[in-house]
């Protein structure tokens, strides 16, 4: 069975309500008011992408504080045992709602099922837990993210006038369902090119746990086996930067288009310098705000608004969802990410990038 998601965007806003049965208690809050709903959030790591600590934690915290609820946000740092321990502690502390970004579907399912058995409402955040029991899912249209990456690579290759380019694919973690969705999206763009002979499919490999160091090693091996690689579909900015570092050693950075995702400071700087051709911006504040609104509604036993349903093919169920829209970012619209407040000019335009920012209209 394909481990993907079949997305059906609702023609009208879907309304659903779930009453959270867990007892309220205080944790991770400044005033420790036991009468307030309490929400627990487990982030996956800080290694695979900077976003979890620099963006998600920040925006979720701000959203919960604005709603006036107690909250506890912890990071499992890639450790499955810690992930389960944190979940147990949160359930014991009396959270009304548990929001998780799973490390893999197996671990995620165990945590979600235990929370459900304790009467705690559950939300899958960013990654759907296949075969899990989360009552809601909040993310981006991840197949669309991959489609933007594939289309972006095509645009960059066309701009360079490359004929029959050899493409390397540096995919995300095989245990992350989102990585499967990204691949579904960009393969829908690239496979017809391969089939027609317009492009040549080169090395194609997944990177365990989105590990950037391992991604660099894998790409180095790719270049050894196929020195003529002309383009790199890298599944996120971290893996894109790993590939760029290898290309830089051969003085081929900027010559070989490389994609990315997450609009990290590093990824945007690589785009400004010409080493990376594009990234995908996901307005994480919108995702975090949507998750916070949903969690607060569940904690208070109120109606929860969604805008889509997503099919979990392993669980054989449709999950009410909130999906946000991703945006492709090239050099000419890096400014939009700054204007949106996702990164600051001070973070982005340091040192050698100051002049590049000015050229890109970032003021």
């Amino acid at each position: 069975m394909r481990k993907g998601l079949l997305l059906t965007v609702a023609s009208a806003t879907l309304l659903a309500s779930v009453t959270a049965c867990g007892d309220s208690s205080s944790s991770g809050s400044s005033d420790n008011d036991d009468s307030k709903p309490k929400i627990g959030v487990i982030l996956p790591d800080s290694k695979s992408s900077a976003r979890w600590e620099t963006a998600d934690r920040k925006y979720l915290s701000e959203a919960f504080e604005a709603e006036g609820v107690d909250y506890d946000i912890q990071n499992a740092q890639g450790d499955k045992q810690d992930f389960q321990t944190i979940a147990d502690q949160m359930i014991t502390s009396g959270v009304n709602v548990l929001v998780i970004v799973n490390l893999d579907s197996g671990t995620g399912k165990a945590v979600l099922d235990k929370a459900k058995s304790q009467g705690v409402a559950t939300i899958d955040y960013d990654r759907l837990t296949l075969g899990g029991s989360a009552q809601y899912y909040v993310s981006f249209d991840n197949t669309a993210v991959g489609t933007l990456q594939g289309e972006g690579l095509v645009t960059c290759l066309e701009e360079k006038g490359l004929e029959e380019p050899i493409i390397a694919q540096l995919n995300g973690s095989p245990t992350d369902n989102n990585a499967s969705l990204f691949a579904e999206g960009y393969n829908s763009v690239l496979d017809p090119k391969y089939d027609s002979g317009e492009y040549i499919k080169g090395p194609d490999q997944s990177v365990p746990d989105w590990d950037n160091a391992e991604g660099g090693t894998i790409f180095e091996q790719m270049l050894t086996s196929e020195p003529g690689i002309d383009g790199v579909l890298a599944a996120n900015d971290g893996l894109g930067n790993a590939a760029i570092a290898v290309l830089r050693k051969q003085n081929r950075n900027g010559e070989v288009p490389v994609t990315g995702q997450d609009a990290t400071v590093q990824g945007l700087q690589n785009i400004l310098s010409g080493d990376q051709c594009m990234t995908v911006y996901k307005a994480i504040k919108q995702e975090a705000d949507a998750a916070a609104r949903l969690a607060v509604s569940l904690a208070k036993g109120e109606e929860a608004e969604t805008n889509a349903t997503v099919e979990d093919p392993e669980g054989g169920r449709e999950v009410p969802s909130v999906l946000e829209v991703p945006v492709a970012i090239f050099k000419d619209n890096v400014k939009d990410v700054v204007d949106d407040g996702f990164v600051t000019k001070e973070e982005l335009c340091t040192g050698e990038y100051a002049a590049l920012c000015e050229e890109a209209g970032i003021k």
Side-chain angles (χ1 to χ4, degrees), residues 50-354:
R51 64 164 283 190
W52 303 116
E53 287 297 327
T54 62
D56 295 88
R57 180 186 289 274
K58 170 188 172 184
Y59 292 132
L60 286 166
S61 297
E62 291 174 351
F64 290 138
E65 287 170 8
E67 292 283 355
V69 298
D70 288 345
Y71 64 93
D72 183 11
I73 302 175
Q74 296 191 44
N75 194 315
Q77 296 298 354
D79 189 306
K80 295 177 186 178
Q81 184 172 342
D82 282 354
F83 192 98
Q84 292 180 309
T85 299
I86 292 169
D88 288 344
Q89 292 171 344
M90 288 182 172
I91 293 169
T92 300
S93 76
V95 296
N96 303 95
V97 183
L98 183 64
V99 181
I100 72 165
V101 187
N102 71 56
L103 290 171
D104 60 34
S105 285
T107 306
K109 175 177 168 51
V111 165
L112 292 168
D113 288 350
K114 182 166 186 178
K116 181 180 179 181
S117 73
Q118 298 296 313
V120 177
T122 51
I123 299 172
D124 269 329
Y125 180 68
D126 201 72
R127 301 170 180 168
L128 183 71
T129 301
L130 297 178
S133 56
Q135 291 156 270
Y136 292 90
Y137 173 50
V138 179
S139 190
F140 288 83
D141 183 340
N142 291 306
T143 304
V145 170
T147 300
L148 291 176
Q149 290 176 309
E151 292 172 346
L153 183 60
V154 169
T155 297
C156 296
L157 290 167
E158 288 176 349
E159 287 177 352
K160 290 188 175 293
L162 296 172
E163 295 183 5
E164 297 185 355
I166 300 171
I167 309 302
Q169 295 187 197
L170 203 56
N171 310 302
S173 174
T175 60
D176 180 357
N177 185 62
N178 280 0
S180 300
L181 297 175
F182 303 146
E184 181 180 320
Y186 54 71
N187 286 334
S188 72
V189 176
L190 297 177
D191 283 349
K193 301 281 189 182
Y194 298 144
D195 293 343
S196 68
E198 186 178 352
Y199 289 3
I200 298 170
K201 186 169 186 177
D204 181 0
Q205 194 167 338
S206 296
V207 180
D209 300 321
W210 293 94
D211 188 291
N212 296 329
E214 189 164 355
T217 300
I218 289 171
F219 184 68
E220 202 152 22
Q221 294 167 347
M222 287 180 170
L223 267 182
T224 300
S225 65
E226 181 49 79
I229 289 171
D230 298 301
V232 182
L233 194 301
N236 74 357
D237 287 349
L239 296 180
N241 188 65
I244 289 166
V246 175
L247 291 167
R248 191 174 286 121
K249 293 177 186 177
Q250 301 189 6
N251 295 316
R252 296 189 66 199
N253 55 303
E255 171 189 328
V256 178
V258 179
T259 67
Q261 175 195 175
D262 290 335
T264 62
V265 169
Q266 185 178 66
L268 294 173
Q269 288 175 336
N270 283 336
I271 291 173
L272 290 172
S273 68
D275 289 345
Q276 184 170 322
C277 78
M278 63 84 66
T279 188
V280 178
Y281 172 46
K282 299 182 295 188
I284 293 171
K285 185 178 189 306
Q286 295 177 13
E287 182 185 23
D289 286 350
R293 284 194 302 270
L294 190 58
V296 170
S297 294
L298 294 180
K300 293 181 177 179
E302 299 172 350
E303 288 185 330
E305 295 186 1
T306 62
N307 65 0
T309 57
V310 167
E311 184 179 343
D312 170 6
E314 287 196 4
R317 66 193 189 101
E318 290 190 347
V319 186
S321 305
V322 177
L323 299 182
E324 304 294 342
V325 179
V327 179
I329 300 295
F330 298 84
K331 185 179 288 189
D332 62 1
N333 64 338
V334 167
K335 180 178 180 292
D336 293 349
V337 183
V338 180
D339 289 345
D340 205 36
F342 185 67
V343 301
T344 66
K345 178 185 175 182
E346 290 69 28
E347 291 173 311
L348 183 64
C349 306
T350 59
E352 64 186 284
Y353 300 102

